[in-house]
mmCIF file of all heavy atoms in Angstrom:
data_model
loop_
_atom_site.group_PDB
_atom_site.id
_atom_site.type_symbol
_atom_site.label_atom_id
_atom_site.label_comp_id
_atom_site.label_asym_id
_atom_site.label_seq_id
_atom_site.Cartn_x
_atom_site.Cartn_y
_atom_site.Cartn_z
ATOM 1 N N GLY N 214 109.325 93.918 88.501
ATOM 2 C CA GLY N 214 109.289 94.442 87.144
ATOM 3 C C GLY N 214 107.889 94.608 86.589
ATOM 4 O O GLY N 214 107.713 95.230 85.534
ATOM 5 N N ARG N 215 106.893 94.067 87.289
ATOM 6 C CA ARG N 215 105.500 94.180 86.820
ATOM 7 C C ARG N 215 104.648 95.009 87.766
ATOM 8 O O ARG N 215 103.752 95.726 87.312
ATOM 9 C CB ARG N 215 104.874 92.793 86.671
ATOM 10 C CG ARG N 215 105.581 91.876 85.688
ATOM 11 C CD ARG N 215 104.770 90.609 85.430
ATOM 12 N NE ARG N 215 104.589 89.784 86.617
ATOM 13 C CZ ARG N 215 103.404 89.444 87.117
ATOM 14 N NH1 ARG N 215 102.290 89.867 86.536
ATOM 15 N NH2 ARG N 215 103.323 88.670 88.193
ATOM 16 N N PHE N 216 104.897 94.888 89.067
ATOM 17 C CA PHE N 216 104.102 95.590 90.080
ATOM 18 C C PHE N 216 104.927 96.715 90.687
ATOM 19 O O PHE N 216 106.146 96.601 90.846
ATOM 20 C CB PHE N 216 103.692 94.633 91.201
ATOM 21 C CG PHE N 216 102.666 93.596 90.835
ATOM 22 C CD1 PHE N 216 102.310 93.347 89.518
ATOM 23 C CD2 PHE N 216 102.040 92.865 91.833
ATOM 24 C CE1 PHE N 216 101.367 92.394 89.197
ATOM 25 C CE2 PHE N 216 101.089 91.909 91.529
ATOM 26 C CZ PHE N 216 100.759 91.665 90.201
ATOM 27 N N THR N 217 104.233 97.779 91.069
ATOM 28 C CA THR N 217 104.871 98.904 91.752
ATOM 29 C C THR N 217 104.013 99.348 92.926
ATOM 30 O O THR N 217 102.836 99.667 92.741
ATOM 31 C CB THR N 217 105.080 100.096 90.810
ATOM 32 O OG1 THR N 217 105.857 99.685 89.677
ATOM 33 C CG2 THR N 217 105.805 101.229 91.525
ATOM 34 N N ILE N 218 104.606 99.348 94.102
ATOM 35 C CA ILE N 218 103.914 99.848 95.284
ATOM 36 C C ILE N 218 104.344 101.286 95.530
ATOM 37 O O ILE N 218 105.508 101.643 95.323
ATOM 38 C CB ILE N 218 104.208 98.959 96.522
ATOM 39 C CG1 ILE N 218 103.325 99.374 97.701
ATOM 40 C CG2 ILE N 218 105.686 98.987 96.894
ATOM 41 C CD1 ILE N 218 103.400 98.407 98.891
ATOM 42 N N SER N 219 103.402 102.108 95.946
ATOM 43 C CA SER N 219 103.721 103.503 96.252
ATOM 44 C C SER N 219 102.811 103.992 97.370
ATOM 45 O O SER N 219 101.789 103.372 97.662
ATOM 46 C CB SER N 219 103.565 104.389 95.008
ATOM 47 O OG SER N 219 102.238 104.363 94.532
ATOM 48 N N ARG N 220 103.216 105.086 97.976
ATOM 49 C CA ARG N 220 102.428 105.640 99.077
ATOM 50 C C ARG N 220 102.348 107.152 98.955
ATOM 51 O O ARG N 220 103.270 107.787 98.440
ATOM 52 C CB ARG N 220 103.027 105.248 100.428
ATOM 53 C CG ARG N 220 104.419 105.785 100.696
ATOM 54 C CD ARG N 220 105.034 105.150 101.954
ATOM 55 N NE ARG N 220 104.296 105.470 103.155
ATOM 56 C CZ ARG N 220 104.404 104.795 104.296
ATOM 57 N NH1 ARG N 220 105.222 103.748 104.375
ATOM 58 N NH2 ARG N 220 103.702 105.153 105.363
ATOM 59 N N ASP N 221 101.245 107.689 99.446
ATOM 60 C CA ASP N 221 101.053 109.131 99.511
ATOM 61 C C ASP N 221 100.687 109.445 100.949
ATOM 62 O O ASP N 221 99.534 109.260 101.366
ATOM 63 C CB ASP N 221 99.946 109.566 98.551
ATOM 64 C CG ASP N 221 99.779 111.081 98.483
ATOM 65 O OD1 ASP N 221 100.056 111.761 99.497
ATOM 66 O OD2 ASP N 221 99.361 111.578 97.437
ATOM 67 N N ASN N 222 101.662 109.891 101.714
ATOM 68 C CA ASN N 222 101.423 110.108 103.141
ATOM 69 C C ASN N 222 100.423 111.229 103.396
ATOM 70 O O ASN N 222 99.666 111.186 104.363
ATOM 71 C CB ASN N 222 102.736 110.406 103.847
ATOM 72 C CG ASN N 222 103.634 109.181 103.940
ATOM 73 O OD1 ASN N 222 103.168 108.039 103.867
ATOM 74 N ND2 ASN N 222 104.930 109.414 104.073
ATOM 75 N N ALA N 223 100.421 112.236 102.545
ATOM 76 C CA ALA N 223 99.496 113.348 102.739
ATOM 77 C C ALA N 223 98.047 112.897 102.588
ATOM 78 O O ALA N 223 97.161 113.374 103.309
ATOM 79 C CB ALA N 223 99.804 114.460 101.753
ATOM 80 N N LYS N 224 97.816 111.972 101.676
ATOM 81 C CA LYS N 224 96.462 111.475 101.432
ATOM 82 C C LYS N 224 96.154 110.213 102.220
ATOM 83 O O LYS N 224 95.031 109.715 102.177
ATOM 84 C CB LYS N 224 96.255 111.205 99.939
ATOM 85 C CG LYS N 224 96.327 112.436 99.071
ATOM 86 C CD LYS N 224 96.081 112.086 97.614
ATOM 87 C CE LYS N 224 96.116 113.330 96.739
ATOM 88 N NZ LYS N 224 95.885 112.989 95.297
ATOM 89 N N LYS N 225 97.162 109.675 102.908
ATOM 90 C CA LYS N 225 97.010 108.414 103.632
ATOM 91 C C LYS N 225 96.540 107.307 102.700
ATOM 92 O O LYS N 225 95.576 106.587 102.977
ATOM 93 C CB LYS N 225 96.072 108.570 104.831
ATOM 94 C CG LYS N 225 96.600 109.497 105.908
ATOM 95 C CD LYS N 225 95.751 109.459 107.159
ATOM 96 C CE LYS N 225 96.347 110.306 108.269
ATOM 97 N NZ LYS N 225 95.559 110.238 109.522
ATOM 98 N N MET N 226 97.243 107.186 101.578
ATOM 99 C CA MET N 226 96.906 106.193 100.574
ATOM 100 C C MET N 226 98.132 105.343 100.235
ATOM 101 O O MET N 226 99.260 105.843 100.213
ATOM 102 C CB MET N 226 96.426 106.869 99.287
ATOM 103 C CG MET N 226 95.165 107.692 99.421
ATOM 104 S SD MET N 226 93.685 106.686 99.593
ATOM 105 C CE MET N 226 93.631 105.883 97.981
ATOM 106 N N VAL N 227 97.882 104.099 99.936
ATOM 107 C CA VAL N 227 98.910 103.222 99.390
ATOM 108 C C VAL N 227 98.329 102.569 98.145
ATOM 109 O O VAL N 227 97.141 102.243 98.099
ATOM 110 C CB VAL N 227 99.406 102.188 100.421
ATOM 111 C CG1 VAL N 227 98.291 101.315 100.936
ATOM 112 C CG2 VAL N 227 100.545 101.357 99.858
ATOM 113 N N TYR N 228 99.192 102.407 97.134
ATOM 114 C CA TYR N 228 98.758 101.928 95.829
ATOM 115 C C TYR N 228 99.578 100.715 95.419
ATOM 116 O O TYR N 228 100.725 100.533 95.831
ATOM 117 C CB TYR N 228 98.937 103.018 94.780
ATOM 118 C CG TYR N 228 98.272 104.328 95.127
ATOM 119 C CD1 TYR N 228 99.003 105.365 95.709
ATOM 120 C CD2 TYR N 228 96.920 104.523 94.873
ATOM 121 C CE1 TYR N 228 98.396 106.564 96.032
ATOM 122 C CE2 TYR N 228 96.311 105.729 95.191
ATOM 123 C CZ TYR N 228 97.048 106.747 95.770
ATOM 124 O OH TYR N 228 96.448 107.938 96.090
ATOM 125 N N LEU N 229 98.974 99.910 94.546
ATOM 126 C CA LEU N 229 99.705 98.824 93.904
ATOM 127 C C LEU N 229 99.345 98.866 92.425
ATOM 128 O O LEU N 229 98.222 98.535 92.046
ATOM 129 C CB LEU N 229 99.356 97.467 94.505
ATOM 130 C CG LEU N 229 100.183 96.306 93.969
ATOM 131 C CD1 LEU N 229 101.644 96.435 94.417
ATOM 132 C CD2 LEU N 229 99.616 94.961 94.430
ATOM 133 N N ARG N 230 100.294 99.305 91.625
ATOM 134 C CA ARG N 230 100.119 99.295 90.180
ATOM 135 C C ARG N 230 100.572 97.939 89.670
ATOM 136 O O ARG N 230 101.706 97.529 89.904
ATOM 137 C CB ARG N 230 100.946 100.399 89.534
ATOM 138 C CG ARG N 230 100.918 100.397 88.004
ATOM 139 C CD ARG N 230 99.553 100.675 87.446
ATOM 140 N NE ARG N 230 99.564 100.728 85.980
ATOM 141 C CZ ARG N 230 98.468 100.910 85.237
ATOM 142 N NH1 ARG N 230 97.285 101.057 85.818
ATOM 143 N NH2 ARG N 230 98.579 100.946 83.920
ATOM 144 N N MET N 231 99.688 97.255 88.955
ATOM 145 C CA MET N 231 99.957 95.908 88.463
ATOM 146 C C MET N 231 99.885 95.907 86.942
ATOM 147 O O MET N 231 98.816 96.168 86.377
ATOM 148 C CB MET N 231 98.949 94.919 89.050
ATOM 149 C CG MET N 231 98.891 94.952 90.568
ATOM 150 S SD MET N 231 97.792 93.698 91.252
ATOM 151 C CE MET N 231 96.200 94.313 90.674
ATOM 152 N N ASN N 232 101.005 95.648 86.311
ATOM 153 C CA ASN N 232 101.080 95.566 84.857
ATOM 154 C C ASN N 232 101.364 94.135 84.423
ATOM 155 O O ASN N 232 101.817 93.309 85.219
ATOM 156 C CB ASN N 232 102.198 96.477 84.331
ATOM 157 C CG ASN N 232 101.922 97.944 84.578
ATOM 158 O OD1 ASN N 232 100.784 98.408 84.557
ATOM 159 N ND2 ASN N 232 102.995 98.702 84.820
ATOM 160 N N SER N 233 101.131 93.870 83.151
ATOM 161 C CA SER N 233 101.420 92.548 82.578
ATOM 162 C C SER N 233 100.853 91.435 83.441
ATOM 163 O O SER N 233 101.548 90.457 83.769
ATOM 164 C CB SER N 233 102.933 92.371 82.412
ATOM 165 O OG SER N 233 103.468 93.393 81.605
ATOM 166 N N LEU N 234 99.601 91.570 83.802
ATOM 167 C CA LEU N 234 98.991 90.611 84.724
ATOM 168 C C LEU N 234 98.918 89.225 84.108
ATOM 169 O O LEU N 234 98.707 89.057 82.896
ATOM 170 C CB LEU N 234 97.606 91.101 85.130
ATOM 171 C CG LEU N 234 97.635 92.206 86.195
ATOM 172 C CD1 LEU N 234 96.329 92.968 86.219
ATOM 173 C CD2 LEU N 234 97.932 91.617 87.561
ATOM 174 N N LYS N 235 99.108 88.235 84.969
ATOM 175 C CA LYS N 235 99.097 86.834 84.572
ATOM 176 C C LYS N 235 97.949 86.107 85.271
ATOM 177 O O LYS N 235 97.439 86.562 86.299
ATOM 178 C CB LYS N 235 100.433 86.186 84.949
ATOM 179 C CG LYS N 235 101.649 86.864 84.352
ATOM 180 C CD LYS N 235 102.925 86.192 84.838
ATOM 181 C CE LYS N 235 104.161 86.857 84.249
ATOM 182 N NZ LYS N 235 105.416 86.213 84.705
ATOM 183 N N LEU N 236 97.600 84.949 84.724
ATOM 184 C CA LEU N 236 96.530 84.160 85.333
ATOM 185 C C LEU N 236 96.819 83.885 86.807
ATOM 186 O O LEU N 236 95.909 83.918 87.647
ATOM 187 C CB LEU N 236 96.366 82.845 84.578
ATOM 188 C CG LEU N 236 95.944 82.939 83.116
ATOM 189 C CD1 LEU N 236 95.919 81.547 82.488
ATOM 190 C CD2 LEU N 236 94.594 83.605 82.981
ATOM 191 N N GLU N 237 98.096 83.644 87.108
ATOM 192 C CA GLU N 237 98.468 83.292 88.480
ATOM 193 C C GLU N 237 98.455 84.471 89.447
ATOM 194 O O GLU N 237 98.682 84.300 90.643
ATOM 195 C CB GLU N 237 99.845 82.620 88.504
ATOM 196 C CG GLU N 237 100.940 83.408 87.832
ATOM 197 C CD GLU N 237 101.170 82.956 86.386
ATOM 198 O OE1 GLU N 237 100.171 82.665 85.691
ATOM 199 O OE2 GLU N 237 102.335 82.920 85.957
ATOM 200 N N ASP N 238 98.162 85.662 88.944
ATOM 201 C CA ASP N 238 97.998 86.822 89.832
ATOM 202 C C ASP N 238 96.584 86.890 90.416
ATOM 203 O O ASP N 238 96.312 87.735 91.271
ATOM 204 C CB ASP N 238 98.288 88.120 89.088
ATOM 205 C CG ASP N 238 99.732 88.249 88.653
ATOM 206 O OD1 ASP N 238 100.627 87.896 89.458
ATOM 207 O OD2 ASP N 238 99.977 88.687 87.518
ATOM 208 N N THR N 239 95.713 86.017 89.953
ATOM 209 C CA THR N 239 94.345 85.987 90.463
ATOM 210 C C THR N 239 94.347 85.667 91.956
ATOM 211 O O THR N 239 94.923 84.671 92.388
ATOM 212 C CB THR N 239 93.509 84.940 89.718
ATOM 213 O OG1 THR N 239 93.381 85.338 88.349
ATOM 214 C CG2 THR N 239 92.130 84.794 90.334
ATOM 215 N N ALA N 240 93.709 86.530 92.742
ATOM 216 C CA ALA N 240 93.692 86.370 94.196
ATOM 217 C C ALA N 240 92.873 87.496 94.809
ATOM 218 O O ALA N 240 92.512 88.459 94.120
ATOM 219 C CB ALA N 240 95.111 86.419 94.760
ATOM 220 N N VAL N 241 92.619 87.362 96.086
ATOM 221 C CA VAL N 241 92.118 88.493 96.865
ATOM 222 C C VAL N 241 93.330 89.239 97.394
ATOM 223 O O VAL N 241 94.234 88.632 97.988
ATOM 224 C CB VAL N 241 91.220 88.034 98.024
ATOM 225 C CG1 VAL N 241 90.763 89.238 98.843
ATOM 226 C CG2 VAL N 241 90.017 87.257 97.499
ATOM 227 N N TYR N 242 93.363 90.535 97.162
ATOM 228 C CA TYR N 242 94.487 91.369 97.572
ATOM 229 C C TYR N 242 94.106 92.175 98.804
ATOM 230 O O TYR N 242 93.036 92.797 98.846
ATOM 231 C CB TYR N 242 94.898 92.287 96.429
ATOM 232 C CG TYR N 242 95.663 91.566 95.343
ATOM 233 C CD1 TYR N 242 95.038 90.659 94.500
ATOM 234 C CD2 TYR N 242 97.039 91.771 95.182
ATOM 235 C CE1 TYR N 242 95.739 89.980 93.517
ATOM 236 C CE2 TYR N 242 97.761 91.103 94.200
ATOM 237 C CZ TYR N 242 97.102 90.211 93.373
ATOM 238 O OH TYR N 242 97.815 89.537 92.411
ATOM 239 N N TYR N 243 95.006 92.158 99.790
ATOM 240 C CA TYR N 243 94.757 92.819 101.063
ATOM 241 C C TYR N 243 95.797 93.897 101.332
ATOM 242 O O TYR N 243 96.995 93.686 101.144
ATOM 243 C CB TYR N 243 94.830 91.807 102.208
ATOM 244 C CG TYR N 243 93.799 90.715 102.145
ATOM 245 C CD1 TYR N 243 94.059 89.524 101.482
ATOM 246 C CD2 TYR N 243 92.564 90.874 102.769
ATOM 247 C CE1 TYR N 243 93.105 88.522 101.429
ATOM 248 C CE2 TYR N 243 91.605 89.868 102.731
ATOM 249 C CZ TYR N 243 91.893 88.700 102.060
ATOM 250 O OH TYR N 243 90.955 87.703 102.018
ATOM 251 N N CYS N 244 95.334 95.001 101.813
ATOM 252 C CA CYS N 244 96.196 96.078 102.271
ATOM 253 C C CYS N 244 96.581 95.809 103.721
ATOM 254 O O CYS N 244 95.755 95.302 104.511
ATOM 255 C CB CYS N 244 95.416 97.389 102.154
ATOM 256 S SG CYS N 244 96.284 98.855 102.703
ATOM 257 N N HIS N 245 97.802 96.132 104.087
ATOM 258 C CA HIS N 245 98.322 95.820 105.421
ATOM 259 C C HIS N 245 99.154 96.972 105.925
ATOM 260 O O HIS N 245 99.954 97.542 105.173
ATOM 261 C CB HIS N 245 99.176 94.546 105.326
ATOM 262 C CG HIS N 245 99.757 94.086 106.604
ATOM 263 N ND1 HIS N 245 101.119 94.118 106.848
ATOM 264 C CD2 HIS N 245 99.184 93.549 107.707
ATOM 265 C CE1 HIS N 245 101.360 93.623 108.052
ATOM 266 N NE2 HIS N 245 100.200 93.269 108.581
ATOM 267 N N ALA N 246 98.973 97.327 107.188
ATOM 268 C CA ALA N 246 99.776 98.361 107.831
ATOM 269 C C ALA N 246 100.394 97.771 109.093
ATOM 270 O O ALA N 246 99.721 97.051 109.830
ATOM 271 C CB ALA N 246 98.925 99.570 108.178
ATOM 272 N N PHE N 247 101.678 98.066 109.324
ATOM 273 C CA PHE N 247 102.347 97.444 110.471
ATOM 274 C C PHE N 247 103.348 98.379 111.106
ATOM 275 O O PHE N 247 104.076 99.117 110.434
ATOM 276 C CB PHE N 247 103.024 96.138 110.049
ATOM 277 C CG PHE N 247 103.970 96.269 108.883
ATOM 278 C CD1 PHE N 247 105.323 96.471 109.081
ATOM 279 C CD2 PHE N 247 103.503 96.200 107.581
ATOM 280 C CE1 PHE N 247 106.193 96.589 107.999
ATOM 281 C CE2 PHE N 247 104.339 96.320 106.498
ATOM 282 C CZ PHE N 247 105.695 96.519 106.703
ATOM 283 N N ARG N 248 103.317 98.362 112.426
ATOM 284 C CA ARG N 248 104.328 99.034 113.233
ATOM 285 C C ARG N 248 104.159 98.471 114.639
ATOM 286 O O ARG N 248 103.538 99.079 115.503
ATOM 287 C CB ARG N 248 104.145 100.554 113.229
ATOM 288 C CG ARG N 248 105.200 101.274 114.044
ATOM 289 C CD ARG N 248 105.021 102.776 113.995
ATOM 290 N NE ARG N 248 105.863 103.454 114.956
ATOM 291 C CZ ARG N 248 107.136 103.762 114.745
ATOM 292 N NH1 ARG N 248 107.709 103.461 113.608
ATOM 293 N NH2 ARG N 248 107.844 104.384 115.672
ATOM 294 N N GLY N 249 104.703 97.259 114.825
ATOM 295 C CA GLY N 249 104.384 96.549 116.059
ATOM 296 C C GLY N 249 103.010 95.928 115.889
ATOM 297 O O GLY N 249 102.875 94.769 115.507
ATOM 298 N N GLU N 250 101.977 96.714 116.118
ATOM 299 C CA GLU N 250 100.634 96.217 115.817
ATOM 300 C C GLU N 250 100.428 96.206 114.304
ATOM 301 O O GLU N 250 101.161 96.858 113.562
ATOM 302 C CB GLU N 250 99.580 97.098 116.494
ATOM 303 C CG GLU N 250 99.406 98.484 115.902
ATOM 304 C CD GLU N 250 100.382 99.518 116.412
ATOM 305 O OE1 GLU N 250 101.419 99.133 117.023
ATOM 306 O OE2 GLU N 250 100.131 100.711 116.187
ATOM 307 N N GLU N 251 99.424 95.466 113.872
ATOM 308 C CA GLU N 251 99.166 95.399 112.446
ATOM 309 C C GLU N 251 97.667 95.503 112.181
ATOM 310 O O GLU N 251 96.854 95.139 113.026
ATOM 311 C CB GLU N 251 99.728 94.114 111.843
ATOM 312 C CG GLU N 251 99.176 92.836 112.406
ATOM 313 C CD GLU N 251 99.740 91.605 111.708
ATOM 314 O OE1 GLU N 251 100.519 91.748 110.739
ATOM 315 O OE2 GLU N 251 99.386 90.493 112.114
ATOM 316 N N TYR N 252 97.360 95.990 110.998
ATOM 317 C CA TYR N 252 95.969 96.181 110.581
ATOM 318 C C TYR N 252 95.797 95.687 109.152
ATOM 319 O O TYR N 252 96.728 95.768 108.338
ATOM 320 C CB TYR N 252 95.594 97.673 110.670
ATOM 321 C CG TYR N 252 95.794 98.249 112.047
ATOM 322 C CD1 TYR N 252 96.921 99.000 112.351
ATOM 323 C CD2 TYR N 252 94.853 98.021 113.050
ATOM 324 C CE1 TYR N 252 97.114 99.517 113.630
ATOM 325 C CE2 TYR N 252 95.048 98.540 114.326
ATOM 326 C CZ TYR N 252 96.170 99.280 114.607
ATOM 327 O OH TYR N 252 96.360 99.785 115.871
ATOM 328 N N TRP N 253 94.575 95.209 108.873
ATOM 329 C CA TRP N 253 94.273 94.638 107.563
ATOM 330 C C TRP N 253 93.037 95.300 106.977
ATOM 331 O O TRP N 253 92.105 95.667 107.704
ATOM 332 C CB TRP N 253 93.983 93.142 107.702
ATOM 333 C CG TRP N 253 95.151 92.321 108.117
ATOM 334 C CD1 TRP N 253 95.526 91.996 109.384
ATOM 335 C CD2 TRP N 253 96.108 91.707 107.254
ATOM 336 N NE1 TRP N 253 96.656 91.219 109.360
ATOM 337 C CE2 TRP N 253 97.036 91.018 108.064
ATOM 338 C CE3 TRP N 253 96.274 91.658 105.862
ATOM 339 C CZ2 TRP N 253 98.120 90.309 107.539
ATOM 340 C CZ3 TRP N 253 97.339 90.941 105.346
ATOM 341 C CH2 TRP N 253 98.244 90.278 106.184
ATOM 342 N N GLY N 254 93.024 95.395 105.648
ATOM 343 C CA GLY N 254 91.815 95.754 104.946
ATOM 344 C C GLY N 254 90.950 94.524 104.733
ATOM 345 O O GLY N 254 91.315 93.404 105.101
#
């Protein structure tokens, strides 16, 4: 209800819209891609 993930395959982009942020949302955020193998930002 606060965060929304979306993707744009044409642009090869993935997004995370974060609303109503709370103190406990503080962190390092990592992008991840997986299909058998996995990759990290």
